[in-house]
Amino acid sequence: MGNGRASSWLRNNSNKFYVHKQTKVARMSDMVNNHKSSHSHSLSQLGGIKELATLLETDIKRGIPDNKDHIDKRKRAFGVNMFSKPPPKPFHCFVLESFQDTTIIILLLCALLSLAFGMKQHGWKEGWYDGGSIILAVILVVVVSSVSNFNQSRQFRKVSGKSSNIGVEVVRGGRRQSVSIFDVVVGDIVYLKIGDQVPADGVFLEGHSLKVDESSMTGESDHVHVNAETNPFLLSGTKVTDGFAHMLVTSVGTNTAWGTMMGSIATHPHQDTPLQTRLTQLTSSIAKLGLLFASLVLLLSLIRYFTGSTIDDFGNPEFLGRNTKFDDVMNSVLGIVAAAVTIVVVAIPEGLPLAVTLTLAYSMKKMMRDNAMVRRISACETMGSATTICTDKTGTLTLNEMKVTEIWVGKSKLPEHGCLAPNLVQLLKEGIGLNTTGSVYLPQQTSLPEISGSPTEKALLSWAVLYLGMDIDEVKKHCEIIHVETFNSMTKRSGILMREKTGSSTIRTHWKGAAEMILRMCSNYYDQKGEIMIMNDEERIQIESIVKGIATKSLRCIAIAFAQKSFKSQDCKNIEKKLQESELTLLGILGLKDPCRPGVEAAVESCKQAGVKIKMITGDNVHTARVIATECGILDPYEELDEAAVVEGFQFRNFSPEERMDKIERIRVMARSSPSDKLLMVQCLKQKGHVVAVTGDGTNDAPALKEADIGLSMGIQGTEVAKESSDIVILDDNFSSVVTVLRWGRCVYTNIQKFIQFQLTVNIAALVINFVAAVSSGKVPLTAVQLLWVNLIMDTLGALALATEQPTNDLMKMPPVGRVEPLITRVMWRNLISQALYQVLVLLILQFKGRSIFDVSEKVKNTLIFNAFVLCQVFNEFNARKLEKKDIFEGIGKNKLFIVIVGLTIVIQLVMVEFLNKFANTERLTWEQWGVCVGIGALSWPVGLLMKCIPIVPNSRR
């Protein structure tokens, strides 16, 4: 059944047709899943790969029809290429986790006992206030924190889902196109090249030198050679390490070997980032201090109560020995225990890890809009400490839009419309059309061809099609490729061994690659007339100077060369599959232009102002590298350069370890580098104490990306191996986006510091006030409910307000943090200690002199202390926005959430003081008393301004 007839028949009988053939397809798919060597023979018995393609109605050359209905029917029949994910954690799980906190449990127990004794003593109407208030406050804290954690969990899940959506090249309707991995269907023909991830299970159709890393499936580190004869099976999730091929998809999604394995593996729990780990340790230390204070408060309060030193609101002793009712004793004791437990709740800054989670989730969402997809959340905070960025040139600093702008044949530059000798044209067509991983698709005779492949391949193919009039299908029709050596970063070249199908006994080797590499292999060259000339030493020097001249124009130099040998016809079948590497004939040298990206110079300058060093590492020759580095601003054209500023890869690797470590700081450009040179540079920089970020797009960049503190892969040109090894994917391949990531990283780090300063101020003030009051009077001025409200302000709401501050240009004017600077800097200590001392001083005056100053009752005095304390936190939240700058209102209009949270805090505080008296244990205040509380809070601003006038020697930075 032909493809056209099959497609028509499918439209009417698709379901019956697929059901009829699914049994045989499933049998073949099972062979692919198990991919034992014996199954190659079984596959042949079933008719082989061609029979499988026929079963799947796939044209081996043109693929399946590029028709949405046709593809949808295949999805319904054979499934979609997605794995079933475990369901997200429901909201009630977050609530249950919050209730599992030890201090919350103790508070609830105290509240329930207080509720029971209160109702017994005062009845239902009056007895529930104390215990019920604590229960309601605890529920409020739990709900707010659960909602926050639930939302952040959904955000992380959403971002992680995007990271698994990769692009795959398939052939549909004779056209090579990129589709989502989720849209790959059974019967698709997928094009694979070095660095690609195999998107589904399938079989090898055609290709050369294909090697696959199956370690993710088998655990074996050796790369597996895949071919049509002995091992045609390809497994989903494996990586292509060499060669290229077309594969026929036989099963997708959960029907693949990878899908079966993933279904049996539980998901790994979320791991804390390094900063979260540090904050957890800080939280633990503060919690121990808070526990000590709470124990002392509990002990002293109990002693004072049972010795009759505490008095009630009427001035009478609370404990009168045997004359005191048991219910009164238990209520008082439970109140003391609840107050001590609440001190622990307030002392433990559990909002610190929460603040990290909030700011990371917020930053990840914003960074996605700025063309940066975070794969590992720890990279956000690490990027803020980066001191050095090692960047690629092609595609990152440049546009990666190659175009042939110069053509040299021998020692002559070809005019724009110049002609070449027919024999030279034919050899160039072979050298470009066969020695390529790209493809040319011509939809109609009158339209422009669609060219696929890497930017270099596209430029060469475009020139061959438009300038030489190459018909790639015609070239392939008359030639047979015997062996292929694919391009890799070490050799900087690719080659093929081929012969004509007309029965010719001539075997040709075609090479193309970096001009310097190809020239070393040449002993002859073609001139413009199509005659072969011997390349003596003088002419070699002249051609090398031509290459140098092309490079100084910031062009990439690609040379094309060939060699041929004749064999007797009976020996042609036994040709050794080895490409000739000497005595080649140079066909021509092409100069490819790849202009710098707009805005990259400003981005490099921004990094310099931020104290971050930029090092360009490229495979291009030293002359091209120097020119591009100058255009981008990495090298200053007016600066007298150090001799070590520009080096080549072989020089760097041949330095002695001491010499390398001495020069590593001064190197700005490394040309003709190999992946091992890049890895070596990253290792040296880390040894020198740098926090290193590395950009990369190739499979061979994977070791450097993994070794770096932050690996940044390219989303457009980056291979799947590179993306898998990276921490962040730059979706637009632009260096400006790398700088955006740096800015966001610094923003994350600074926001965490702001919140630490804010929360520790509250912790210190609350601990000291309650401790001093308990020691002196046996009672704490801030009740359990009030302290829970303060805890809510400084934990969840404070984290939301301060963790969502957006990055500013000021962040890029500060030196990098590096590895050694403490999380709490001297500037932060100055700010938080000064504010805590101010709050403690004012509130202790209210504690001891408040009744006489304002002529009020004990309960009103305690309300004044509570109200003033909360308002101090509200005003101090503005101070925390700027660690060093005196203008604390700068940019406040951009953070609407901050304004909303501050407004919400004030409104709820007003309601608690004026309307929820029994719930919050407060008394209504007069306008004058409110003015006093607001004034006490507002004084935080001038105190903060005065403290920032005190010069502080900053912590040592790199």
Side-chain angles (χ1 to χ4, degrees), residues 156-419:
F156 283 131
R157 187 178 177 88
K158 184 178 178 182
V159 173
S160 65
K162 290 183 179 180
S163 67
S164 58
N165 185 11
I166 62 177
V168 177
E169 285 195 329
V170 298
V171 179
R172 290 178 180 171
R175 178 184 176 193
R176 195 162 119 187
Q177 55 188 286
S178 180
V179 299
S180 166
I181 190 172
F182 304 135
D183 291 330
V184 172
V185 295
V186 170
D188 256 329
I189 292 177
V190 176
Y191 176 75
L192 300 172
K193 61 184 183 298
I194 294 176
D196 281 349
Q197 175 181 309
V198 180
D201 285 358
V203 291
F204 179 96
L205 283 179
E206 60 177 359
H208 293 279
S209 309
L210 187 68
K211 287 186 179 180
V212 177
D213 177 9
E214 294 185 352
S215 59
S216 60
M217 292 293 299
T218 64
E220 299 292 334
S221 58
D222 293 338
H223 296 168
V224 178
H225 184 69
V226 181
N227 54 51
E229 294 79 28
T230 59
N231 179 29
F233 305 117
L234 289 154
L235 298 180
S236 173
T238 56
K239 304 287 194 303
V240 178
T241 58
D242 197 10
F244 59 90
H246 287 87
M247 70 169 275
L248 174 65
V249 175
T250 59
S251 45
V252 295
T254 53
N255 297 321
T256 63
W258 179 259
T260 304
M261 186 177 75
M262 290 299 290
S264 62
I265 299 175
T267 55
H268 294 287
H270 166 70
Q271 292 184 333
D272 285 344
T273 69
L275 185 54
Q276 282 174 318
T277 303
R278 287 177 68 185
L279 289 177
T280 301
Q281 293 170 352
L282 176 63
T283 300
S284 177
S285 301
I286 297 173
K288 290 173 184 176
L289 184 64
L291 192 60
L292 175 63
F293 271 78
S295 301
L296 289 172
V297 167
L298 176 63
L299 181 63
L300 291 170
S301 297
L302 288 174
I303 291 172
R304 290 186 64 86
Y305 175 76
F306 285 110
T307 55
S309 301
T310 58
I311 57 175
D312 59 21
D313 292 340
F314 303 102
N316 301 317
E318 288 187 323
F319 183 74
L320 300 171
R322 293 181 181 179
N323 296 327
T324 309
K325 294 180 181 179
F326 176 75
D327 289 353
D328 291 338
V329 173
M330 288 306 300
N331 272 333
S332 297
V333 170
L334 284 173
I336 292 169
V337 172
V341 172
T342 312
I343 288 174
V344 177
V345 173
V346 176
I348 298 174
E350 66 268 25
L352 292 181
L354 173 64
V356 178
T357 305
L358 287 169
T359 192
L360 287 176
Y362 175 79
S363 301
M364 285 170 67
K365 186 177 179 181
K366 292 290 186 180
M367 287 167 73
M368 182 70 79
R369 296 178 186 173
D370 290 339
N371 295 309
M373 183 177 70
V374 180
R375 296 187 69 254
R376 295 181 181 88
I377 59 173
S378 59
C380 290
E381 62 197 42
T382 311
M383 193 66 188
S385 307
T387 60
T388 303
I389 300 175
C390 297
T391 177
D392 280 341
K393 176 188 78 72
T394 305
T396 307
L397 298 174
T398 60
L399 284 170
N400 208 12
E401 295 175 359
M402 298 285 189
K403 182 180 179 182
V404 176
T405 57
E406 283 195 22
I407 306 107
W408 290 76
V409 178
K411 297 181 290 182
S412 304
K413 183 179 179 181
L414 200 66
E416 188 175 346
H417 301 291
C419 295

Side-chain angles (χ1 to χ4, degrees), residues 62-124:
R62 296 182 58 82
I64 64 173
D66 190 10
N67 179 282
K68 186 177 184 299
D69 291 337
H70 183 95
I71 293 166
D72 288 342
K73 286 169 185 174
R74 287 179 180 268
K75 287 182 178 179
R76 288 195 294 271
F78 299 109
V80 293
N81 198 28
M82 291 184 180
F83 303 125
S84 56
K85 291 184 177 180
K89 192 192 298 185
F91 176 71
H92 70 267
C93 289
F94 291 96
V95 176
L96 289 174
E97 285 178 4
S98 299
F99 272 115
Q100 289 170 8
D101 185 84
T102 307
T103 52
I104 292 292
I105 292 171
I106 296 173
L107 269 176
L108 283 175
L109 286 174
C110 291
L112 289 172
L113 288 171
S114 178
L115 193 64
F117 285 112
M119 287 182 176
K120 183 180 176 183
Q121 184 177 9
H122 303 291
W124 286 94

Side-chain angles (χ1 to χ4, degrees), residues 5 41 69 251 307 367 413 461 575 698 743 747 772 809 935 954:
R5 288 174 56 205
H41 179 64
D69 291 337
S251 45
T307 55
M367 287 167 73
K413 183 179 179 181
L461 287 171
I575 296 169
R743 185 181 285 109
C747 181
V772 172
N809 292 329

Side-chain angles (χ1 to χ4, degrees), residues 363-374 597 712-716 728-741 744:
S363 301
M364 285 170 67
K365 186 177 179 181
K366 292 290 186 180
M367 287 167 73
M368 182 70 79
R369 296 178 186 173
D370 290 339
N371 295 309
M373 183 177 70
V374 180
R597 285 183 179 274
L712 302 148
S713 63
M714 300 296 111
I716 300 173
I728 297 173
V729 180
I730 304 300
L731 299 176
D732 61 352
D733 290 15
N734 193 340
F735 185 78
S736 296
S737 296
V738 176
V739 179
T740 300
V741 172
W744 270 111

Side-chain angles (χ1 to χ4, degrees), residues 536-547:
N536 56 35
D537 291 342
E538 183 181 343
E539 290 179 320
R540 184 179 296 277
I541 291 170
Q542 290 178 6
I543 294 175
E544 285 175 350
S545 67
I546 289 171
V547 170

Side-chain angles (χ1 to χ4, degrees), residues 615-899:
K615 299 183 186 296
M616 187 177 88
I617 303 174
T618 177
D620 282 342
N621 69 46
V622 67
H623 308 294
T624 304
R626 189 188 293 269
V627 173
I628 291 292
T630 303
E631 288 182 16
C632 294
I634 296 173
L635 296 178
D636 189 340
Y638 305 106
E639 180 186 352
E640 188 174 341
L641 289 178
D642 187 289
E643 60 176 8
V646 182
V647 299
E648 292 190 76
F650 77 91
Q651 294 174 295
F652 183 72
R653 77 179 79 104
N654 290 331
F655 287 151
S656 66
E658 294 78 17
E659 189 178 7
R660 196 180 297 124
M661 294 300 287
D662 176 59
K663 293 184 177 181
I664 190 73
E665 298 277 7
R666 291 177 283 157
I667 294 173
R668 298 193 212 170
V669 177
M670 184 160 67
R672 281 289 176 243
S673 65
S674 67
S676 59
D677 299 328
K678 194 171 189 176
L679 176 61
L680 184 60
M681 174 167 276
V682 173
Q683 290 170 337
C684 291
L685 286 167
K686 289 181 72 176
Q687 286 176 31
K688 293 282 281 187
H690 286 272
V691 178
V692 186
V694 169
T695 71
D697 55 10
T699 303
N700 290 321
D701 289 326
L705 289 169
K706 284 184 176 179
E707 180 69 24
D709 295 288
I710 313 103
L712 302 148
S713 63
M714 300 296 111
I716 300 173
Q717 290 301 320
T719 64
E720 291 311 312
V721 173
K723 292 176 188 176
E724 191 68 28
S725 303
S726 67
D727 304 298
I728 297 173
V729 180
I730 304 300
L731 299 176
D732 61 352
D733 290 15
N734 193 340
F735 185 78
S736 296
S737 296
V738 176
V739 179
T740 300
V741 172
L742 177 64
R743 185 181 285 109
W744 270 111
R746 290 190 169 194
C747 181
V748 168
Y749 194 87
T750 306
N751 284 351
I752 300 304
Q753 288 185 314
K754 291 174 184 177
F755 182 70
I756 290 172
Q757 177 183 297
F758 172 67
Q759 188 166 45
L760 291 187
T761 303
V762 186
N763 291 137
I764 293 170
L767 276 175
V768 173
I769 292 162
N770 270 8
F771 179 73
V772 172
V775 171
S776 60
S777 63
K779 283 190 174 182
V780 291
L782 301 174
T783 66
V785 173
Q786 292 168 355
L787 284 175
L788 282 170
W789 166 233
V790 172
N791 190 57
L792 185 66
I793 294 173
M794 68 184 187
D795 274 2
T796 307
L797 297 180
L800 274 171
L802 293 171
T804 53
E805 287 281 336
Q806 296 194 35
T808 61
N809 292 329
D810 292 333
L811 292 171
M812 299 301 285
K813 296 176 183 177
M814 302 182 336
V817 173
R819 295 185 187 276
V820 294
E821 183 170 343
L823 194 57
I824 306 177
T825 64
R826 292 170 185 165
V827 169
M828 292 168 64
W829 280 120
R830 177 198 65 189
N831 295 343
L832 73 88
I833 289 175
S834 61
Q835 289 293 335
L837 283 175
Y838 164 71
Q839 292 180 21
V840 168
L841 180 66
V842 172
L843 297 180
L844 286 180
I845 291 173
L846 286 178
Q847 169 68 15
F848 295 112
K849 299 293 182 182
R851 292 188 65 175
S852 59
I853 293 174
F854 297 102
D855 191 22
V856 292
S857 66
E858 181 73 15
K859 199 167 185 179
V860 173
K861 180 205 74 174
N862 288 340
T863 304
L864 284 169
I865 293 174
F866 167 58
N867 200 31
F869 185 59
V870 170
L871 290 174
C872 277
Q873 312 323 317
V874 171
F875 282 94
N876 191 41
E877 208 160 356
F878 287 85
N879 287 326
R881 290 187 66 248
K882 303 293 179 182
L883 296 178
E884 296 186 61
K885 292 191 73 171
K886 295 174 183 176
D887 184 4
I888 58 176
F889 303 105
E890 182 183 347
I892 197 168
K894 295 179 181 178
N895 192 348
K896 302 290 192 299
L897 188 59
F898 182 92
I899 298 171

Side-chain angles (χ1 to χ4, degrees), residues 340-552:
V341 172
T342 312
I343 288 174
V344 177
V345 173
V346 176
I348 298 174
E350 66 268 25
L352 292 181
L354 173 64
V356 178
T357 305
L358 287 169
T359 192
L360 287 176
Y362 175 79
S363 301
M364 285 170 67
K365 186 177 179 181
K366 292 290 186 180
M367 287 167 73
M368 182 70 79
R369 296 178 186 173
D370 290 339
N371 295 309
M373 183 177 70
V374 180
R375 296 187 69 254
R376 295 181 181 88
I377 59 173
S378 59
C380 290
E381 62 197 42
T382 311
M383 193 66 188
S385 307
T387 60
T388 303
I389 300 175
C390 297
T391 177
D392 280 341
K393 176 188 78 72
T394 305
T396 307
L397 298 174
T398 60
L399 284 170
N400 208 12
E401 295 175 359
M402 298 285 189
K403 182 180 179 182
V404 176
T405 57
E406 283 195 22
I407 306 107
W408 290 76
V409 178
K411 297 181 290 182
S412 304
K413 183 179 179 181
L414 200 66
E416 188 175 346
H417 301 291
C419 295
L420 291 170
N423 60 334
L424 182 55
V425 169
Q426 182 59 33
L427 289 170
L428 284 169
K429 285 180 181 180
E430 288 179 8
I432 295 173
L434 299 177
N435 185 15
T436 184
T437 56
S439 66
V440 179
Y441 172 70
L442 193 63
Q444 298 174 354
Q445 292 296 326
T446 55
S447 60
L448 290 173
E450 295 180 11
I451 299 173
S452 303
S454 70
T456 302
E457 296 285 6
K458 286 166 72 174
L460 294 175
L461 287 171
S462 178
W463 177 75
V465 169
L466 300 175
Y467 191 90
L468 301 179
M470 180 185 74
D471 184 338
I472 195 167
D473 293 329
E474 192 71 21
V475 173
K476 290 180 177 179
K477 187 187 297 182
H478 293 96
C479 299
E480 176 190 356
I481 297 175
I482 301 169
H483 185 63
V484 174
E485 285 197 17
T486 53
F487 179 88
N488 68 66
S489 302
M490 296 295 293
T491 60
K492 310 288 185 188
R493 67 188 186 193
S494 64
I496 59 163
L497 191 65
M498 54 77 64
R499 66 179 166 202
E500 294 179 359
K501 290 181 179 178
T502 55
S504 170
S505 58
T506 301
I507 304 296
R508 291 196 190 103
T509 295
H510 283 282
W511 285 103
K512 79 167 188 286
E516 302 98 306
M517 306 299 181
I518 301 298
L519 275 177
R520 294 172 192 168
M521 302 158 64
C522 294
S523 55
N524 305 295
Y525 68 91
Y526 266 102
D527 66 7
Q528 198 168 339
K529 297 176 182 177
E531 297 178 1
I532 297 178
M533 311 294 289
I534 296 173
M535 189 185 299
N536 56 35
D537 291 342
E538 183 181 343
E539 290 179 320
R540 184 179 296 277
I541 291 170
Q542 290 178 6
I543 294 175
E544 285 175 350
S545 67
I546 289 171
V547 170
K548 182 178 178 181
I550 296 173
T552 53

